Amino acid sequence: MAVIFDFDGVLVDSVAPVTASINAALHDHGLPQRSAAQLRALIGPPTFSAFAELLGRSPDDPYLAEVVATYRTYYEAAYLSATEVFEGVPEMLAELSHHHPLAVATSKSSDFAQPLLDALGLAPFFTVVAAADPRTAEDDKSAIVARALAALGESGGAMVGDRSFDMAAARSHGLRPVGVAWGIGTEEELRAAGAEVIAAAPDQLLALLVPAVGAR
């Protein structure tokens, strides 16, 4: 059984570099900056979709693409040093990887996903890393999860995420939708999107996915 993980909000806390980079991009384009609380909700969806919501423009608007490019320039300069792994995640992954093949399926650009996993020491736990194509606005979470499953050679398992998009992608592929409570999305958001269960901490997530470990 494969276990597929979302990245931001599940494995790592990326709020600081993402929100700072968004506001820097907005400033450079003469747009009003937003509070961190307003920008938190934009962490999780595909980048073009998040900026489309923020700016009230179509995801394929050329101006929006310019703002996204500026955001990525700022983010690239900050993300490796400003992103933190959630406490307990490395230990959870180390144990879980002995029981199930693991993959990352993230709406984070493929330009950033693998380098960040490498920098944070999480890469060895994952057989597959599927990330968003930075050149298109049409690479949604369901498509990214499909690529992860295909690369793993698996058709079943669990999807672990912190947003409604993760739960929807899980359900679209017949995966067990598992939410986590330490990320961006609320318990209400996750349950409304079909989360079967919500883990309060990484050790609880491990116990849910490997019951024999939780029973020790």
Side-chain angles (χ1 to χ4, degrees):
M1 180 190 84
V3 180
I4 300 177
F5 284 85
D6 178 42
F7 199 173
D8 297 298
V10 176
L11 303 177
V12 300
D13 181 355
S14 57
V15 171
V18 170
T19 56
S21 299
I22 292 174
N23 268 332
L26 294 177
H27 176 269
D28 280 8
H29 288 271
L31 299 168
Q33 297 187 19
R34 312 297 173 86
S35 69
Q38 290 175 301
L39 296 179
R40 279 179 65 89
L42 301 181
I43 301 175
T47 303
F48 283 94
S49 297
F51 273 87
E53 179 181 342
L54 180 66
L55 302 181
R57 292 173 176 260
S58 169
D60 57 3
D61 186 319
Y63 176 73
L64 187 142
E66 292 177 10
V67 180
V68 168
T70 304
Y71 157 74
R72 285 175 170 163
T73 297
Y74 280 107
Y75 182 71
E76 182 176 16
Y79 80 111
L80 291 177
S81 61
T83 305
E84 298 182 351
V85 180
F86 285 114
E87 183 177 356
V89 162
E91 295 82 1
M92 177 270 294
L93 293 174
E95 179 65 33
L96 187 60
S97 64
H98 293 309
H99 302 272
H100 301 293
L102 308 184
V104 169
T106 175
S107 293
K108 183 184 290 297
S109 167
S110 57
D111 292 340
F112 303 129
Q114 188 67 56
L116 187 54
L117 285 168
D118 291 338
L120 296 176
L122 300 181
F125 302 123
F126 295 100
T127 305
V128 168
V129 177
D133 184 339
R135 299 160 297 181
T136 178
E138 299 178 359
D139 202 10
D140 67 11
K141 194 56 173 279
S142 182
I144 295 168
V145 171
R147 293 203 297 274
L149 286 169
L152 286 168
E154 299 277 351
S155 59
M159 172 78 205
V160 181
D162 68 323
R163 298 299 310 273
S164 61
F165 314 97
D166 305 315
M167 302 301 99
R171 295 173 64 195
S172 72
H173 293 288
L175 301 174
R176 183 186 185 193
V178 179
V180 302
W182 60 84
I184 298 297
T186 64
E187 182 173 336
E188 291 75 17
E189 175 185 340
L190 290 166
R191 293 202 182 280
E196 177 185 312
V197 65
I198 299 174
D203 59 346
Q204 185 181 37
L205 176 62
L206 177 62
L208 289 169
L209 296 173
V210 188
V213 173
R216 290 176 186 171

